[in-house]
Amino acid sequence: MPKFTCLPPLSLYIHFPWCIKKCPYCDFNSHALLGELPQTRYINALLQDLEKTIPQVWSRRIHNIFLGGGTPSLFAASEVKKLLHSIHAYFPSRPDMEITMEMNPGSLS
């Protein structure tokens, strides 16, 4: 008789390593922004990496996405939208999926 295993919920953490400045208490892999933020290049690299992951998680639903860092809110809304739309195209997701984005109030308008 085949043995079925129940896989744990699939969550996706996406790291944005840039901040306006590096806080002295922060232990995360984050770096002070020097010059222009490479938004499009970074999002495209993330999407290429996600495409390579598809065979490993095929048919599993994503239950939640956490965008952390660093300060993901430094990225333009259009770039974050491109990332999230692509994730939804690549992976099945729950209709009630939670998406959380770490933000610094000083980087919002």
Side-chain angles (χ1 to χ4, degrees):
M1 179 170 258
K3 187 175 183 178
F4 296 97
T5 58
C6 184
L7 296 172
L10 187 61
S11 297
L12 182 59
Y13 171 76
I14 301 174
H15 188 72
F16 293 77
W18 295 279
C19 294
I20 296 293
K21 65 177 183 146
K22 179 72 174 176
C23 297
Y25 57 82
C26 181
D27 290 332
F28 294 104
N29 177 12
S30 59
H31 310 278
L33 180 61
L34 302 173
E36 196 74 20
L37 188 61
Q39 295 186 57
T40 301
R41 206 172 53 183
Y42 190 69
I43 296 297
N44 288 341
L46 287 172
L47 293 175
Q48 287 177 356
D49 192 46
L50 283 168
E51 287 174 7
K52 292 176 188 174
T53 306
I54 291 172
Q56 297 168 348
V57 295
W58 189 251
S59 79
R60 290 180 64 192
R61 287 186 180 272
I62 293 179
H63 290 243
N64 55 16
I65 298 172
F66 181 73
L67 308 175
T71 311
S73 57
L74 292 176
F75 276 64
S78 60
E79 292 295 334
V80 175
K81 181 179 178 180
K82 174 183 166 183
L83 174 66
L84 294 174
H85 278 238
S86 296
I87 291 169
H88 287 297
Y90 294 159
F91 302 99
S93 59
R94 294 174 48 111
D96 61 344
M97 178 175 58
E98 177 183 351
I99 301 173
T100 306
M101 183 174 177
E102 193 172 356
M103 296 185 183
N104 183 326
S107 67
L108 300 175
S109 59

